[in-house]
Amino acid sequence: MDWDTTINLGGFGNSAQMEWQTVKSWKSFTNFFDDAVRIDAVTYCESPELLLELFDQEDSALETMDVLIGDKDEYQSAVDDATVARRLERYYEEDKLTVRLKNRKIVHSKLYRIVAADETVTLIAGSANLSYNSWKNQTNSVVVFNTEVGSQLDQQFKQWIEHHRDEYADTIFMEDLAAELEDLDDEEEVERRIELWIDNRNTQLSEQGEIHSNVGQELEALGDEVDHVVSVTDDPDDADEVVSIDPERIEPEDGSNDNGEQSETDSAEGITAVKTPEYSITLSTQGYENDGYLDQMETDLKRRGADVGADAITTPVEGYTNYLQTRYDVPKMWIDEENQRVHLQHGEHHRILTADHEPDPDLLDAALENIENYIKTIDRWGETNNAKAVKAHLYEGVLYGLWAPFVNLYAKQFYGSVTLDNALQYLYIFGESDAGKDKFTEFVLRLVSDDLVRGGADADDVGKNQIRSLRNIDTVFPYVVSDISKQKIERIDTLRNFWQDSWHPSNEIAYPTLIFTSNDSRPNDWFRNRAKMLHFDVAFPSNPEDEGFYKAQEDLNTILDARNPIFSYVSRRILMDKRYLDAGGTVDDVRQVFLEFYERADREIPKFFPKEPANRKYNIGKRKWKQAYERGDVTFDRRENRLIAEFDLEPHELYSYRKTLPTKMRPEKSGRSIIIKNPDGFEEWIELAELEEDDDAAGSKGFLSRLLS
């Protein structure tokens, strides 16, 4: 039974006909839309194709429709036809159809505002859904108002719908696909993108990248579960394993004292270490073109306990992360920006590598002492002509390693304003074979991983394909390559545009930064422009017959085996303070954090701590040029806007001198001379070397002035 009553709603300033109706069929409900030119709605609709049908009805005058879908999470999955997707995208582009998807909150409201061509408007509130399925075995009661566009009742109803949009909708359906297709002219590529969109595939990523990105999302969801059991704790009784920190010193890995007994401290702090619960992750493989990569991945994962089906792989977390470590020489690490935490999944172990409190000053003092003690092995066991410079370079490398996991946060800030490959430098460490480069990378990796990771990749296994793959595996853990030749680096042209070619903030896949060690001095200009170059100009005992070899090894291993939680406090500062938002700091942000740590620990800053980049302050090239001048190997002549450096050396020997000059000096080799086209830049560069290395230089005649006089 229907009630039909005309009520004068004086509070709204207009008359309106109000009806209570029990609507019993889909046809009787859609009759309300017959004369509509515009529809605004908050409702449930199981299929976006149904919305197109309202435009397609015979004699339909419908021009625009704006619908909030109150309870449909996977709305995109309801589109399985490219023609339908194309029409929906076109209607969105033409502002004919706007579909708003709910946020986390389910919306049960059913509101319809139906505007006709004669400026009358029908307003409906009740239980009726815009859905076929809702009418099979149901009836719905609604209240219907008929009024005029712009009436107070109409305005109030519009505000009601707008409130729902503002509060409960956060995504516009088809907006992502429209953005993908906007600049595409190739019809074949348009069709490919639409098909990928229908399969809910990321069109910006390669299939390899998409596979690992999806696994990464599963692992990150797992991280939310592990959050409940893994944290930095003050109470060792609360943790499965605890890194105990004695205020007097940092304890070895097993937490035992010199007598082999378990340490007991009143204020033990550190990072808990637990096995990941017996979780598995499932990866859909449906729709992927199998070019051999997926086959190989399935084989490797099956060997590690995965269940490989026709359309999906279900694998234990431990199996996947073991595969990642073995296949790519890097573990899975990610940053949860929302909760301000760094996560590491390594085999069966999960770490949250971000402290939930500021460090105790005594603990911080011990952690800094551990790092200094490592660097001071140069004084105890190393042979070098410039100990202060080498120690500064080692410390600079430590700062870089602790910064490396945050590189993608900085990429987001730099994106679109600077060339990423110039701003996000690689780290290149060079020195002789006995310069301690491998032990250095072990020390840094153990700091960053809470002692889980100790090595990286062998240079023999690294090439273009391996470097390219790093863009797809979705990890922020630094990728370390040991003993690579400069010739090999120069052949890996992927390094020229590692970031710029493919990284994008919307990809939701992280890239690792890269650390290289080499016995060779300086690769070509293009690589030097993209790298922080550190020189380990030192020799350690490397042969059992060398004096002090065994004692040096014992000393070094004791330092390496100490569990140092410094990274958990660095990550706390970087993430909580959002230092990366300044987009100007990179490694300098960690440098400032360390200066704050020294102040908090009330510990004297060592003279070798690099308060500015060590590669700039202690530059091997400056020293090389000065020494050549002092030996009489080079003379200088200023000719207008050029400085001519004439060498008394064989022409091939000049290449090493040209390479040491910053590219902004525009050096050019000509026979036995190097022409410097930016002499003022050279003067500034060489004079800084004078001031940095000679405390009395500030009051003396400048170096360049002396050499030109």
Side-chain angles (χ1 to χ4, degrees), residues 42-271:
V42 178
T43 188
Y44 175 82
C45 179
E46 83 275 2
S47 170
E49 189 172 357
L50 180 59
L51 302 177
L52 293 177
E53 291 183 12
L54 294 176
F55 287 93
D56 296 339
Q57 288 179 351
E58 188 176 355
D59 299 327
S60 173
L62 186 60
E63 297 174 0
T64 61
M65 189 172 187
D66 191 320
V67 184
L68 191 162
I69 306 300
D71 187 15
K72 184 71 174 174
D73 288 319
E74 299 292 337
Y75 209 56
Q76 183 171 332
S77 64
V79 182
D80 56 8
D81 182 270
T83 302
V84 172
R86 192 68 178 268
R87 284 192 68 201
L88 287 167
E89 186 273 332
R90 187 173 73 249
Y91 276 36
Y92 165 80
E93 278 290 307
E94 295 173 354
D95 291 326
K96 289 184 176 180
L97 178 61
T98 301
V99 180
R100 304 172 191 271
L101 304 182
K102 74 172 187 68
N103 54 25
R104 295 182 179 182
K105 195 155 189 170
I106 292 175
V107 181
H108 285 292
S109 305
K110 308 296 184 297
L111 306 173
Y112 302 89
R113 179 176 178 268
I114 305 165
V115 179
D118 62 359
E119 294 291 296
T120 59
V121 59
T122 301
L123 310 174
I124 302 174
S127 60
N129 290 322
L130 197 60
S131 170
Y132 288 136
N133 294 336
S134 299
W135 298 89
K136 291 180 179 179
N137 299 301
Q138 297 180 16
T139 58
N140 290 277
S141 297
V142 295
V143 59
V144 182
F145 293 95
N146 295 300
T147 184
E148 298 175 359
V149 171
S151 69
Q152 288 189 6
L153 178 59
D154 180 41
Q155 292 179 43
Q156 291 288 332
F157 205 91
K158 281 178 64 178
Q159 289 178 17
W160 197 10
I161 292 176
E162 287 289 346
H163 172 75
H164 280 77
R165 293 171 181 172
D166 293 342
E167 291 293 321
Y168 306 118
D170 56 9
T171 305
I172 303 296
F173 187 57
M174 283 290 156
E175 188 175 39
D176 56 345
L177 181 59
E180 285 288 330
L181 304 183
E182 183 176 5
D183 298 323
L184 295 181
D185 297 323
D186 185 340
E187 187 61 28
E188 186 175 331
E189 178 63 13
V190 168
E191 293 299 325
R192 187 185 77 86
R193 296 288 184 95
I194 290 174
E195 291 291 347
L196 288 171
W197 182 90
I198 289 172
D199 291 336
N200 199 20
R201 302 270 301 282
N202 189 326
T203 59
Q204 297 290 337
L205 300 177
S206 67
E207 289 199 350
Q208 184 182 357
E210 194 175 346
I211 288 170
H212 289 287
S213 176
N214 291 339
V215 176
Q217 291 173 21
E218 294 255 3
L219 281 173
E220 288 166 26
L222 168 62
D224 293 338
E225 296 294 327
V226 180
D227 265 0
H228 300 298
V229 293
V230 184
S231 64
V232 175
T233 178
D234 292 327
D235 187 352
D237 293 331
D238 289 343
D240 292 339
E241 303 172 38
V242 176
V243 183
S244 294
I245 306 300
D246 191 306
E248 297 299 321
R249 66 184 181 91
I250 297 181
E251 293 291 347
E253 180 177 4
D254 61 1
S256 62
N257 59 28
D258 294 338
N259 298 321
E261 299 171 346
Q262 191 68 22
S263 299
E264 294 183 6
T265 61
D266 292 333
S267 58
E269 299 186 40
I271 303 168

Side-chain angles (χ1 to χ4, degrees), residues 8-47:
N8 188 330
L9 301 174
F12 294 98
N14 295 83
S15 293
Q17 186 182 44
M18 183 180 74
E19 304 172 77
W20 287 278
Q21 290 199 20
T22 301
V23 188
K24 299 179 180 179
S25 69
W26 170 248
K27 176 60 178 170
S28 62
F29 180 59
T30 55
N31 285 340
F32 286 113
F33 304 110
D34 285 348
D35 298 323
V37 295
R38 176 173 179 81
I39 298 172
D40 294 294
V42 178
T43 188
Y44 175 82
C45 179
E46 83 275 2
S47 170

